Amino acid sequence: MKNEIKRILLDAVRKAFEKGMLPSDKMPEIEIEEPRHLSQGDYATNVAMVSAAVQKMPPRKIAEILVAFIETERLIETVEIAGPGFINFFLSNDVWYPVVDRILEQDKQYGASDIGQNAKVQVEFVSANPTGPLHVGHGRGAAVGDSVGNILSFAGFDVQKEYYINDSGRQIRTLGTSVWLRVLQQTGQDIAFPDTCYQGAYINDLAAQILEQEGYSFVQADEAAAIDRCAMFAAKKILDGIKEDLSSFGVTFDQWFSEQSLYDSGRVQKAIDAFTARDLIYEHEGALWFRTQDYGDEKNRVVVRNNGLTTYFASDIAYHMEKYERGFDRVIDVWGADHHGYIKRMEASVVASGRTRDQFEVILVQLVNLLRGGKPFQMSTRAGEFVTLKDIVDEVGKDAARFMFLSRSYDSGLDFDLELAKQKNADNPVYYVQYVHARITGILLKAKQETLLRDIDFSRGEHLELLTAAEEINLLKLLAAFKETVEKSATTLHPHVIFTYLMSLASAFHGYYNKHKVITEEKDLTRARLSLVLGVKKVIRNGLMLLGVSAPERM
RNA sequence: GCGCCUGUAGCUCAGCUGGAUAGAGCAACGGACUUCUAAUCCGUAGGUCGCAGGUUCGAAUCCUGCCAGGCGUACCA
């Protein structure tokens, strides 16, 4: 429609020039936008204002001339000049009716877009160390990553969701030691448990489990091997738990990628060697350094410490090289905001390995500020005091938790009040949107019971021209805007755009519902309205699906 | 000190690829259920868009400088 208006305007400029009404036939880059207020039409353009310089005339004068040459076609009801020189277009209702047909026809695909051009994109998120259960903070990253993946996929990208498992290095050894010491304690040995070990009660559970499995002889085994065994055992158990928690949070991954596998296949060493050969890595004071400074980082970074152990950065370099080798055009990492200092060096390694800067993007999710009854509630993984994602899902449900995490831009910190979240009351916006879906289902059920309206599974809209109420036209316009909302969300990588859209659609529907009856005495009007609400129902469902929230038939 | 994010109604936040009277939810106040689910709706009230400059016909939106808050600034992960 916007292109249509642009064409009409170009036409008007040309005709006005030919008739000698305008000194130039040039038209600068113009905007066609949807005004905030209904009184300003369906579309407005600033063509007169931006042409003032070229035409050497006041904007309003230009607007008057153009309007005289605009051919009001069937789709345009009226054209007005307003304010400093805006030209406002009021469209006829006919423009909006076909959207219902499109929704009913495309169903679950309505709103899908092809802007992604099938480009291969990888979204990596959560990637929490398997040293303890996921906590609330991970939940936000999980919700964001999963939804961004869904939205990109819906927008025509070829998306793969991946979880990177840090199953190598010091924290895993610490995990093994922690479990081992608990094992010894459980067999009656009086051993101190150091602060540097993981304190959570789950460590005790794991110790009991491995003791049960291995038997008492386990404690007499070689200690180094036993600690190793504990580490493997615990990491596997914890990872299983993480998978389970994510699954009940509605989050699934296409691939779980092991850090250890990068060492086993020699990829880490290969990456170091390759960069060393290009003098991107050099030795200094017994350690190996990457020249990230050459790529805009504030200082160079260590990849191999002087004790011979590699840093996280080393395997991350190899990991990201591997991602592109798998054929991804874009790689998106979802990180907690406390890792933002890591972006520069990661970018450096990506660019150094021959990729362009825009092939690597980091979604920085600001931290979740945990509150309890309005008061700050400090969590500490080390001390074993934290609220797990599982706790939250068990208490408030997957839908409410996900909706809350996605309600705001991840650029802002999120206050998560445990007391508030655990209340299953009407304050929670998820019910506001889900209620629309349930309400419409109720209407359709009722319509089905009416003998005259047995067949309500319309494959296209019926008698749509009878939809003339302001609320109905408004709903149609919102439904038509869903696709561009998806595209905006995909382009900006911001899922909350979908949230905001769903809230406006829900609000428009509730208002309509309270003012008009869908099922009336007039059969044709009823069928028209049923078509409309069926469309609303499908769009609500599609939007919720992108956020990973269910659309209940009943509430 | 430097870097990233944020600063909009009493509270929590949308709006930020510049547009015409800055929006929503909660909280406050007043209304609407013999009706397709009141987990809803309608109305009232509430704002120097952190501050100061700049660019522009036009700035919450872009630029600069301040101020405030969060996070980060390891041969930790």
PDB file of all heavy atoms in Angstrom, chain B residues 47-59:
ATOM      1  P     G B  47       1.172  16.286  35.849  1.00  0.00           P
ATOM      2  OP1   G B  47       1.700  17.276  36.816  1.00  0.00           O
ATOM      3  OP2   G B  47       0.091  16.599  34.907  1.00  0.00           O
ATOM      4  O5'   G B  47       2.403  15.761  34.998  1.00  0.00           O
ATOM      5  C5'   G B  47       3.469  15.003  35.597  1.00  0.00           C
ATOM      6  C4'   G B  47       4.488  14.743  34.536  1.00  0.00           C
ATOM      7  O4'   G B  47       3.919  13.861  33.544  1.00  0.00           O
ATOM      8  C3'   G B  47       4.954  15.978  33.774  1.00  0.00           C
ATOM      9  O3'   G B  47       6.143  16.465  34.366  1.00  0.00           O
ATOM     10  C2'   G B  47       5.213  15.493  32.345  1.00  0.00           C
ATOM     11  O2'   G B  47       6.582  15.347  32.078  1.00  0.00           O
ATOM     12  C1'   G B  47       4.575  14.091  32.325  1.00  0.00           C
ATOM     13  N9    G B  47       3.646  13.843  31.225  1.00  0.00           N
ATOM     14  C8    G B  47       2.684  14.647  30.680  1.00  0.00           C
ATOM     15  N7    G B  47       2.025  14.084  29.703  1.00  0.00           N
ATOM     16  C5    G B  47       2.589  12.824  29.601  1.00  0.00           C
ATOM     17  C6    G B  47       2.310  11.743  28.721  1.00  0.00           C
ATOM     18  O6    G B  47       1.460  11.684  27.835  1.00  0.00           O
ATOM     19  N1    G B  47       3.134  10.654  28.966  1.00  0.00           N
ATOM     20  C2    G B  47       4.110  10.611  29.933  1.00  0.00           C
ATOM     21  N2    G B  47       4.803   9.468  30.032  1.00  0.00           N
ATOM     22  N3    G B  47       4.388  11.600  30.769  1.00  0.00           N
ATOM     23  C4    G B  47       3.599  12.663  30.529  1.00  0.00           C
ATOM     24  P     U B  48       6.118  18.103  34.546  1.00  0.00           P
ATOM     25  OP1   U B  48       7.140  18.465  35.535  1.00  0.00           O
ATOM     26  OP2   U B  48       4.733  18.492  34.741  1.00  0.00           O
ATOM     27  O5'   U B  48       6.590  18.687  33.150  1.00  0.00           O
ATOM     28  C5'   U B  48       7.703  18.144  32.493  1.00  0.00           C
ATOM     29  C4'   U B  48       8.434  19.222  31.775  1.00  0.00           C
ATOM     30  O4'   U B  48       8.812  20.288  32.673  1.00  0.00           O
ATOM     31  C3'   U B  48       9.751  18.714  31.203  1.00  0.00           C
ATOM     32  O3'   U B  48       9.498  18.160  29.917  1.00  0.00           O
ATOM     33  C2'   U B  48      10.608  19.954  31.161  1.00  0.00           C
ATOM     34  O2'   U B  48      10.331  20.746  30.054  1.00  0.00           O
ATOM     35  C1'   U B  48      10.154  20.669  32.439  1.00  0.00           C
ATOM     36  N1    U B  48      10.943  20.290  33.623  1.00  0.00           N
ATOM     37  C2    U B  48      12.176  20.888  33.799  1.00  0.00           C
ATOM     38  O2    U B  48      12.632  21.685  33.027  1.00  0.00           O
ATOM     39  N3    U B  48      12.844  20.481  34.919  1.00  0.00           N
ATOM     40  C4    U B  48      12.430  19.573  35.869  1.00  0.00           C
ATOM     41  O4    U B  48      13.138  19.313  36.844  1.00  0.00           O
ATOM     42  C5    U B  48      11.145  18.998  35.606  1.00  0.00           C
ATOM     43  C6    U B  48      10.464  19.376  34.523  1.00  0.00           C
ATOM     44  P     C B  49      10.499  17.410  29.028  1.00  0.00           P
ATOM     45  OP1   C B  49      11.846  17.993  29.217  1.00  0.00           O
ATOM     46  OP2   C B  49       9.927  17.282  27.695  1.00  0.00           O
ATOM     47  O5'   C B  49      10.412  15.975  29.729  1.00  0.00           O
ATOM     48  C5'   C B  49      11.566  15.338  30.255  1.00  0.00           C
ATOM     49  C4'   C B  49      11.518  13.889  29.844  1.00  0.00           C
ATOM     50  O4'   C B  49      10.360  13.660  29.023  1.00  0.00           O
ATOM     51  C3'   C B  49      12.733  13.440  29.061  1.00  0.00           C
ATOM     52  O3'   C B  49      13.321  12.367  29.792  1.00  0.00           O
ATOM     53  C2'   C B  49      12.204  12.992  27.696  1.00  0.00           C
ATOM     54  O2'   C B  49      12.769  11.798  27.306  1.00  0.00           O
ATOM     55  C1'   C B  49      10.705  12.810  27.956  1.00  0.00           C
ATOM     56  N1    C B  49       9.813  13.070  26.835  1.00  0.00           N
ATOM     57  C2    C B  49       9.434  11.968  26.053  1.00  0.00           C
ATOM     58  O2    C B  49       9.908  10.860  26.333  1.00  0.00           O
ATOM     59  N3    C B  49       8.579  12.154  25.039  1.00  0.00           N
ATOM     60  C4    C B  49       8.088  13.362  24.794  1.00  0.00           C
ATOM     61  N4    C B  49       7.236  13.485  23.795  1.00  0.00           N
ATOM     62  C5    C B  49       8.469  14.506  25.564  1.00  0.00           C
ATOM     63  C6    C B  49       9.323  14.307  26.571  1.00  0.00           C
ATOM     64  P     G B  50      14.845  12.087  29.729  1.00  0.00           P
ATOM     65  OP1   G B  50      15.515  12.679  28.577  1.00  0.00           O
ATOM     66  OP2   G B  50      14.810  10.618  29.936  1.00  0.00           O
ATOM     67  O5'   G B  50      15.456  12.776  31.031  1.00  0.00           O
ATOM     68  C5'   G B  50      14.707  12.810  32.241  1.00  0.00           C
ATOM     69  C4'   G B  50      15.563  13.500  33.272  1.00  0.00           C
ATOM     70  O4'   G B  50      16.682  12.636  33.593  1.00  0.00           O
ATOM     71  C3'   G B  50      16.190  14.799  32.787  1.00  0.00           C
ATOM     72  O3'   G B  50      15.331  15.889  33.029  1.00  0.00           O
ATOM     73  C2'   G B  50      17.474  14.879  33.620  1.00  0.00           C
ATOM     74  O2'   G B  50      17.203  15.354  34.921  1.00  0.00           O
ATOM     75  C1'   G B  50      17.867  13.400  33.710  1.00  0.00           C
ATOM     76  N9    G B  50      18.781  12.994  32.647  1.00  0.00           N
ATOM     77  C8    G B  50      18.561  12.030  31.687  1.00  0.00           C
ATOM     78  N7    G B  50      19.565  11.884  30.863  1.00  0.00           N
ATOM     79  C5    G B  50      20.508  12.802  31.318  1.00  0.00           C
ATOM     80  C6    G B  50      21.808  13.088  30.825  1.00  0.00           C
ATOM     81  O6    G B  50      22.398  12.588  29.873  1.00  0.00           O
ATOM     82  N1    G B  50      22.425  14.083  31.567  1.00  0.00           N
ATOM     83  C2    G B  50      21.867  14.717  32.643  1.00  0.00           C
ATOM     84  N2    G B  50      22.616  15.643  33.221  1.00  0.00           N
ATOM     85  N3    G B  50      20.655  14.458  33.119  1.00  0.00           N
ATOM     86  C4    G B  50      20.037  13.487  32.416  1.00  0.00           C
ATOM     87  P     C B  51      15.302  17.102  31.946  1.00  0.00           P
ATOM     88  OP1   C B  51      14.156  17.965  32.299  1.00  0.00           O
ATOM     89  OP2   C B  51      15.404  16.531  30.588  1.00  0.00           O
ATOM     90  O5'   C B  51      16.661  17.878  32.250  1.00  0.00           O
ATOM     91  C5'   C B  51      16.867  18.515  33.504  1.00  0.00           C
ATOM     92  C4'   C B  51      18.233  19.146  33.524  1.00  0.00           C
ATOM     93  O4'   C B  51      19.244  18.101  33.449  1.00  0.00           O
ATOM     94  C3'   C B  51      18.544  20.027  32.317  1.00  0.00           C
ATOM     95  O3'   C B  51      18.026  21.338  32.470  1.00  0.00           O
ATOM     96  C2'   C B  51      20.075  20.017  32.332  1.00  0.00           C
ATOM     97  O2'   C B  51      20.613  20.883  33.302  1.00  0.00           O
ATOM     98  C1'   C B  51      20.355  18.569  32.710  1.00  0.00           C
ATOM     99  N1    C B  51      20.547  17.699  31.529  1.00  0.00           N
ATOM    100  C2    C B  51      21.789  17.739  30.876  1.00  0.00           C
ATOM    101  O2    C B  51      22.667  18.502  31.310  1.00  0.00           O
ATOM    102  N3    C B  51      21.993  16.944  29.801  1.00  0.00           N
ATOM    103  C4    C B  51      21.013  16.141  29.364  1.00  0.00           C
ATOM    104  N4    C B  51      21.266  15.387  28.306  1.00  0.00           N
ATOM    105  C5    C B  51      19.741  16.095  30.004  1.00  0.00           C
ATOM    106  C6    C B  51      19.549  16.885  31.079  1.00  0.00           C
ATOM    107  P     A B  52      17.629  22.164  31.124  1.00  0.00           P
ATOM    108  OP1   A B  52      17.042  23.434  31.576  1.00  0.00           O
ATOM    109  OP2   A B  52      16.876  21.289  30.199  1.00  0.00           O
ATOM    110  O5'   A B  52      19.054  22.452  30.472  1.00  0.00           O
ATOM    111  C5'   A B  52      19.990  23.277  31.155  1.00  0.00           C
ATOM    112  C4'   A B  52      21.258  23.390  30.357  1.00  0.00           C
ATOM    113  O4'   A B  52      21.939  22.107  30.315  1.00  0.00           O
ATOM    114  C3'   A B  52      21.076  23.735  28.886  1.00  0.00           C
ATOM    115  O3'   A B  52      20.825  25.111  28.696  1.00  0.00           O
ATOM    116  C2'   A B  52      22.419  23.298  28.317  1.00  0.00           C
ATOM    117  O2'   A B  52      23.446  24.227  28.590  1.00  0.00           O
ATOM    118  C1'   A B  52      22.672  22.013  29.108  1.00  0.00           C
ATOM    119  N9    A B  52      22.223  20.822  28.368  1.00  0.00           N
ATOM    120  C8    A B  52      21.013  20.173  28.451  1.00  0.00           C
ATOM    121  N7    A B  52      20.908  19.140  27.640  1.00  0.00           N
ATOM    122  C5    A B  52      22.132  19.118  26.991  1.00  0.00           C
ATOM    123  C6    A B  52      22.657  18.259  26.003  1.00  0.00           C
ATOM    124  N6    A B  52      21.984  17.234  25.492  1.00  0.00           N
ATOM    125  N1    A B  52      23.910  18.502  25.556  1.00  0.00           N
ATOM    126  C2    A B  52      24.589  19.539  26.071  1.00  0.00           C
ATOM    127  N3    A B  52      24.197  20.416  27.005  1.00  0.00           N
ATOM    128  C4    A B  52      22.947  20.139  27.424  1.00  0.00           C
ATOM    129  P     G B  53      20.318  25.585  27.227  1.00  0.00           P
ATOM    130  OP1   G B  53      19.765  26.936  27.372  1.00  0.00           O
ATOM    131  OP2   G B  53      19.518  24.505  26.594  1.00  0.00           O
ATOM    132  O5'   G B  53      21.693  25.676  26.455  1.00  0.00           O
ATOM    133  C5'   G B  53      21.705  25.658  25.065  1.00  0.00           C
ATOM    134  C4'   G B  53      23.059  25.238  24.574  1.00  0.00           C
ATOM    135  O4'   G B  53      23.468  24.007  25.232  1.00  0.00           O
ATOM    136  C3'   G B  53      23.073  24.904  23.091  1.00  0.00           C
ATOM    137  O3'   G B  53      23.221  26.084  22.324  1.00  0.00           O
ATOM    138  C2'   G B  53      24.234  23.933  22.982  1.00  0.00           C
ATOM    139  O2'   G B  53      25.475  24.591  23.007  1.00  0.00           O
ATOM    140  C1'   G B  53      24.033  23.118  24.265  1.00  0.00           C
ATOM    141  N9    G B  53      23.082  22.025  24.054  1.00  0.00           N
ATOM    142  C8    G B  53      21.828  21.879  24.609  1.00  0.00           C
ATOM    143  N7    G B  53      21.205  20.809  24.216  1.00  0.00           N
ATOM    144  C5    G B  53      22.091  20.199  23.335  1.00  0.00           C
ATOM    145  C6    G B  53      21.976  18.995  22.587  1.00  0.00           C
ATOM    146  O6    G B  53      21.023  18.220  22.556  1.00  0.00           O
ATOM    147  N1    G B  53      23.107  18.755  21.815  1.00  0.00           N
ATOM    148  C2    G B  53      24.212  19.568  21.781  1.00  0.00           C
ATOM    149  N2    G B  53      25.208  19.170  20.969  1.00  0.00           N
ATOM    150  N3    G B  53      24.343  20.694  22.463  1.00  0.00           N
ATOM    151  C4    G B  53      23.258  20.941  23.222  1.00  0.00           C
ATOM    152  P     G B  54      22.191  26.318  21.103  1.00  0.00           P
ATOM    153  OP1   G B  54      22.382  27.700  20.601  1.00  0.00           O
ATOM    154  OP2   G B  54      20.855  25.871  21.551  1.00  0.00           O
ATOM    155  O5'   G B  54      22.735  25.295  20.023  1.00  0.00           O
ATOM    156  C5'   G B  54      24.104  25.362  19.633  1.00  0.00           C
ATOM    157  C4'   G B  54      24.485  24.134  18.865  1.00  0.00           C
ATOM    158  O4'   G B  54      24.296  22.956  19.683  1.00  0.00           O
ATOM    159  C3'   G B  54      23.642  23.838  17.627  1.00  0.00           C
ATOM    160  O3'   G B  54      24.031  24.631  16.532  1.00  0.00           O
ATOM    161  C2'   G B  54      23.952  22.357  17.408  1.00  0.00           C
ATOM    162  O2'   G B  54      25.211  22.168  16.813  1.00  0.00           O
ATOM    163  C1'   G B  54      23.996  21.841  18.853  1.00  0.00           C
ATOM    164  N9    G B  54      22.717  21.261  19.272  1.00  0.00           N
ATOM    165  C8    G B  54      21.804  21.756  20.170  1.00  0.00           C
ATOM    166  N7    G B  54      20.758  20.985  20.324  1.00  0.00           N
ATOM    167  C5    G B  54      20.993  19.917  19.463  1.00  0.00           C
ATOM    168  C6    G B  54      20.211  18.762  19.195  1.00  0.00           C
ATOM    169  O6    G B  54      19.129  18.445  19.683  1.00  0.00           O
ATOM    170  N1    G B  54      20.819  17.935  18.261  1.00  0.00           N
ATOM    171  C2    G B  54      22.036  18.197  17.650  1.00  0.00           C
ATOM    172  N2    G B  54      22.458  17.301  16.778  1.00  0.00           N
ATOM    173  N3    G B  54      22.774  19.263  17.901  1.00  0.00           N
ATOM    174  C4    G B  54      22.189  20.074  18.807  1.00  0.00           C
ATOM    175  P     U B  55      22.960  25.045  15.395  1.00  0.00           P
ATOM    176  OP1   U B  55      23.604  25.994  14.465  1.00  0.00           O
ATOM    177  OP2   U B  55      21.689  25.401  16.073  1.00  0.00           O
ATOM    178  O5'   U B  55      22.748  23.670  14.634  1.00  0.00           O
ATOM    179  C5'   U B  55      23.801  23.107  13.844  1.00  0.00           C
ATOM    180  C4'   U B  55      23.332  21.819  13.216  1.00  0.00           C
ATOM    181  O4'   U B  55      23.066  20.843  14.256  1.00  0.00           O
ATOM    182  C3'   U B  55      22.014  21.911  12.460  1.00  0.00           C
ATOM    183  O3'   U B  55      22.194  22.414  11.147  1.00  0.00           O
ATOM    184  C2'   U B  55      21.560  20.454  12.460  1.00  0.00           C
ATOM    185  O2'   U B  55      22.252  19.682  11.513  1.00  0.00           O
ATOM    186  C1'   U B  55      21.978  20.018  13.873  1.00  0.00           C
ATOM    187  N1    U B  55      20.885  20.193  14.840  1.00  0.00           N
ATOM    188  C2    U B  55      19.920  19.196  14.915  1.00  0.00           C
ATOM    189  O2    U B  55      19.950  18.208  14.214  1.00  0.00           O
ATOM    190  N3    U B  55      18.929  19.414  15.829  1.00  0.00           N
ATOM    191  C4    U B  55      18.793  20.498  16.675  1.00  0.00           C
ATOM    192  O4    U B  55      17.843  20.549  17.453  1.00  0.00           O
ATOM    193  C5    U B  55      19.823  21.485  16.544  1.00  0.00           C
ATOM    194  C6    U B  55      20.809  21.307  15.648  1.00  0.00           C
ATOM    195  P     U B  56      21.221  23.577  10.594  1.00  0.00           P
ATOM    196  OP1   U B  56      21.705  23.927   9.238  1.00  0.00           O
ATOM    197  OP2   U B  56      21.072  24.623  11.640  1.00  0.00           O
ATOM    198  O5'   U B  56      19.830  22.812  10.453  1.00  0.00           O
ATOM    199  C5'   U B  56      19.688  21.743   9.518  1.00  0.00           C
ATOM    200  C4'   U B  56      18.332  21.121   9.667  1.00  0.00           C
ATOM    201  O4'   U B  56      18.222  20.513  10.986  1.00  0.00           O
ATOM    202  C3'   U B  56      17.163  22.109   9.633  1.00  0.00           C
ATOM    203  O3'   U B  56      16.799  22.438   8.298  1.00  0.00           O
ATOM    204  C2'   U B  56      16.075  21.312  10.347  1.00  0.00           C
ATOM    205  O2'   U B  56      15.498  20.353   9.484  1.00  0.00           O
ATOM    206  C1'   U B  56      16.883  20.598  11.433  1.00  0.00           C
ATOM    207  N1    U B  56      16.851  21.333  12.725  1.00  0.00           N
ATOM    208  C2    U B  56      15.870  20.959  13.619  1.00  0.00           C
ATOM    209  O2    U B  56      15.060  20.074  13.406  1.00  0.00           O
ATOM    210  N3    U B  56      15.864  21.668  14.802  1.00  0.00           N
ATOM    211  C4    U B  56      16.721  22.695  15.158  1.00  0.00           C
ATOM    212  O4    U B  56      16.594  23.247  16.238  1.00  0.00           O
ATOM    213  C5    U B  56      17.714  23.017  14.166  1.00  0.00           C
ATOM    214  C6    U B  56      17.737  22.336  13.013  1.00  0.00           C
ATOM    215  P     C B  57      16.335  23.953   7.944  1.00  0.00           P
ATOM    216  OP1   C B  57      16.226  23.999   6.482  1.00  0.00           O
ATOM    217  OP2   C B  57      17.181  24.926   8.672  1.00  0.00           O
ATOM    218  O5'   C B  57      14.864  24.033   8.572  1.00  0.00           O
ATOM    219  C5'   C B  57      14.239  25.297   8.750  1.00  0.00           C
ATOM    220  C4'   C B  57      12.799  25.095   9.155  1.00  0.00           C
ATOM    221  O4'   C B  57      12.086  24.442   8.078  1.00  0.00           O
ATOM    222  C3'   C B  57      12.593  24.163  10.347  1.00  0.00           C
ATOM    223  O3'   C B  57      12.739  24.870  11.571  1.00  0.00           O
ATOM    224  C2'   C B  57      11.170  23.681  10.130  1.00  0.00           C
ATOM    225  O2'   C B  57      10.213  24.640  10.527  1.00  0.00           O
ATOM    226  C1'   C B  57      11.129  23.541   8.605  1.00  0.00           C
ATOM    227  N1    C B  57      11.476  22.178   8.142  1.00  0.00           N
ATOM    228  C2    C B  57      10.536  21.144   8.325  1.00  0.00           C
ATOM    229  O2    C B  57       9.471  21.412   8.896  1.00  0.00           O
ATOM    230  N3    C B  57      10.816  19.915   7.904  1.00  0.00           N
ATOM    231  C4    C B  57      11.990  19.675   7.290  1.00  0.00           C
ATOM    232  N4    C B  57      12.233  18.438   6.889  1.00  0.00           N
ATOM    233  C5    C B  57      12.965  20.689   7.100  1.00  0.00           C
ATOM    234  C6    C B  57      12.670  21.921   7.532  1.00  0.00           C
ATOM    235  P     G B  58      13.572  24.243  12.734  1.00  0.00           P
ATOM    236  OP1   G B  58      13.603  25.222  13.844  1.00  0.00           O
ATOM    237  OP2   G B  58      14.839  23.749  12.162  1.00  0.00           O
ATOM    238  O5'   G B  58      12.664  23.017  13.168  1.00  0.00           O
ATOM    239  C5'   G B  58      11.449  23.256  13.860  1.00  0.00           C
ATOM    240  C4'   G B  58      10.693  21.967  14.048  1.00  0.00           C
ATOM    241  O4'   G B  58      10.461  21.361  12.762  1.00  0.00           O
ATOM    242  C3'   G B  58      11.444  20.893  14.825  1.00  0.00           C
ATOM    243  O3'   G B  58      11.269  21.072  16.219  1.00  0.00           O
ATOM    244  C2'   G B  58      10.755  19.618  14.339  1.00  0.00           C
ATOM    245  O2'   G B  58       9.524  19.414  14.997  1.00  0.00           O
ATOM    246  C1'   G B  58      10.488  19.947  12.875  1.00  0.00           C
ATOM    247  N9    G B  58      11.509  19.431  11.961  1.00  0.00           N
ATOM    248  C8    G B  58      12.503  20.138  11.335  1.00  0.00           C
ATOM    249  N7    G B  58      13.246  19.403  10.560  1.00  0.00           N
ATOM    250  C5    G B  58      12.704  18.126  10.683  1.00  0.00           C
ATOM    251  C6    G B  58      13.099  16.901  10.077  1.00  0.00           C
ATOM    252  O6    G B  58      14.022  16.699   9.284  1.00  0.00           O
ATOM    253  N1    G B  58      12.286  15.858  10.487  1.00  0.00           N
ATOM    254  C2    G B  58      11.239  15.963  11.362  1.00  0.00           C
ATOM    255  N2    G B  58      10.583  14.841  11.630  1.00  0.00           N
ATOM    256  N3    G B  58      10.860  17.102  11.931  1.00  0.00           N
ATOM    257  C4    G B  58      11.637  18.132  11.551  1.00  0.00           C
ATOM    258  P     A B  59      12.431  20.555  17.206  1.00  0.00           P
ATOM    259  OP1   A B  59      12.007  20.976  18.563  1.00  0.00           O
ATOM    260  OP2   A B  59      13.727  20.982  16.673  1.00  0.00           O
ATOM    261  O5'   A B  59      12.364  18.953  17.088  1.00  0.00           O
ATOM    262  C5'   A B  59      11.287  18.189  17.650  1.00  0.00           C
ATOM    263  C4'   A B  59      11.871  17.053  18.471  1.00  0.00           C
ATOM    264  O4'   A B  59      12.914  16.420  17.673  1.00  0.00           O
ATOM    265  C3'   A B  59      12.517  17.472  19.778  1.00  0.00           C
ATOM    266  O3'   A B  59      12.305  16.473  20.767  1.00  0.00           O
ATOM    267  C2'   A B  59      13.995  17.562  19.437  1.00  0.00           C
ATOM    268  O2'   A B  59      14.778  17.275  20.544  1.00  0.00           O
ATOM    269  C1'   A B  59      14.130  16.457  18.409  1.00  0.00           C
ATOM    270  N9    A B  59      15.245  16.607  17.453  1.00  0.00           N
ATOM    271  C8    A B  59      16.001  17.710  17.176  1.00  0.00           C
ATOM    272  N7    A B  59      16.946  17.512  16.294  1.00  0.00           N
ATOM    273  C5    A B  59      16.800  16.167  15.964  1.00  0.00           C
ATOM    274  C6    A B  59      17.491  15.334  15.080  1.00  0.00           C
ATOM    275  N6    A B  59      18.517  15.740  14.331  1.00  0.00           N
ATOM    276  N1    A B  59      17.103  14.053  14.989  1.00  0.00           N
ATOM    277  C2    A B  59      16.072  13.654  15.730  1.00  0.00           C
ATOM    278  N3    A B  59      15.335  14.348  16.609  1.00  0.00           N
ATOM    279  C4    A B  59      15.762  15.610  16.677  1.00  0.00           C
TER     280        A B  59
END
